[in-house]
Amino acid sequence: NLKALFRPVSMMVPDYALIAEIMLYAEGFLDARSLAQKMVKMYKLCSEQLSQQDHYDYGMRQVKSVLVMSGSVKRGNPDLSEDVCLIRAMQEANVPRFLAQDLPLFEGI
């Protein structure tokens, strides 16, 4: 029966904060919970306040790349604080993609 092949499916939005927290712990961060929550809030604000461009990505792919970059920044500079490592990684990953009109808004966030 064709109707049996097309059963209803429910999908959920992933919990970005929990995923980011686990990945930050895996990268060696000690204050991963608060940093993950701050990063998720920052990406939410970016998606709401910055202009809508096709090349702006605030999804899981971008979150994962920023977390991996922050881990490499932390390993490269062990004396740097964890929040500075994450901020530096977010800037390195996002600033080259933003338009000139969105840069001041991003810096404000």
Side-chain angles (χ1 to χ4, degrees):
N1 190 357
L2 189 60
K3 192 171 188 172
L5 295 174
F6 294 103
R7 291 186 278 269
V9 178
S10 67
M11 297 179 73
M12 295 173 48
V13 176
D15 186 359
Y16 285 95
L18 180 62
I19 295 169
E21 177 185 345
I22 292 168
M23 289 192 65
L24 284 171
Y25 277 129
E27 291 289 342
F29 285 79
L30 301 175
D31 191 24
R33 177 165 291 164
S34 68
L35 290 175
Q37 290 172 351
K38 289 176 185 178
M39 187 180 91
V40 169
K41 284 181 187 176
M42 195 269 311
Y43 275 126
K44 185 176 182 221
L45 287 172
C46 284
S47 67
E48 293 171 355
Q49 294 183 3
L50 300 182
S51 64
Q52 300 298 318
Q53 301 293 325
D54 290 334
H55 61 277
Y56 288 0
D57 181 23
Y58 307 114
M60 185 53 67
R61 181 182 311 139
Q62 181 69 11
V63 169
K64 183 175 180 347
S65 67
V66 166
L67 294 172
V68 170
M69 285 175 66
S70 65
S72 65
V73 169
K74 181 174 172 57
R75 285 187 298 278
N77 302 308
D79 56 333
L80 213 56
S81 68
E82 292 181 345
D83 54 344
V84 173
C85 291
L86 185 61
I87 290 170
R88 189 174 289 178
M90 286 190 292
Q91 286 179 335
E92 289 175 9
N94 293 311
V95 168
R97 295 181 182 167
F98 289 149
L99 299 176
Q101 64 196 21
D102 287 333
L103 282 175
L105 292 172
F106 178 73
E107 295 295 330
I109 293 174

